[in-house]
Amino acid sequence: MAHHKSALKRIRQNRRRRLYNRSNKKLAKEAIKAVKSSKSYDEAVEKLSKAYKILDKISAKRVLHKNNAANRKSQLARFVNSLRTTEK
């Protein structure tokens, strides 16, 4: 256990930030899973915009790196576009 006042404060901060980061990452994972589980193109497009919004928010708050969020958005867009081509 830490002995310095600053180290104890750092432990408290890290605990709080860890919970915040975990909850935001969980939101992103759920949004991504919702997009990937959609069967139709129209349904996927609706869920894609929600996923984009969540990924943009958490990358702005630096929970995820901006490039990581961009890569995930790109992957989701490719998935949704593949749904459009299979429906034709």
Side-chain angles (χ1 to χ4, degrees):
M1 188 66 187
H3 295 291
H4 293 280
K5 208 171 186 182
S6 59
L8 292 170
K9 180 179 178 182
R10 181 61 63 191
I11 290 169
R12 290 194 306 271
Q13 288 175 333
N14 288 339
R15 187 180 308 133
R16 204 174 310 124
R17 288 178 182 151
R18 179 176 166 268
L19 292 173
Y20 177 80
N21 290 341
R22 283 182 68 191
S23 65
N24 279 308
K25 284 181 182 180
K26 180 79 170 165
L27 279 176
K29 283 181 186 179
E30 288 171 353
I32 289 169
K33 282 182 184 178
V35 172
K36 292 208 173 183
S37 69
S38 54
K39 304 295 181 197
S40 69
Y41 173 74
D42 296 327
E43 180 186 354
V45 169
E46 286 178 28
K47 292 180 180 180
L48 182 67
S49 65
K50 292 178 185 175
Y52 271 18
K53 186 176 179 180
I54 290 171
L55 286 169
D56 286 336
K57 274 186 178 182
I58 66 173
S59 67
K61 294 178 180 181
R62 298 188 181 187
V63 174
L64 275 184
H65 193 273
K66 62 181 181 176
N67 290 351
N68 189 311
N71 290 338
R72 290 180 191 211
K73 286 164 52 175
S74 173
Q75 184 183 14
L76 286 175
R78 277 187 281 148
F79 173 77
V80 171
N81 287 334
S82 73
L83 283 179
R84 181 173 42 177
T85 57
T86 57
E87 282 188 357
K88 286 183 179 179

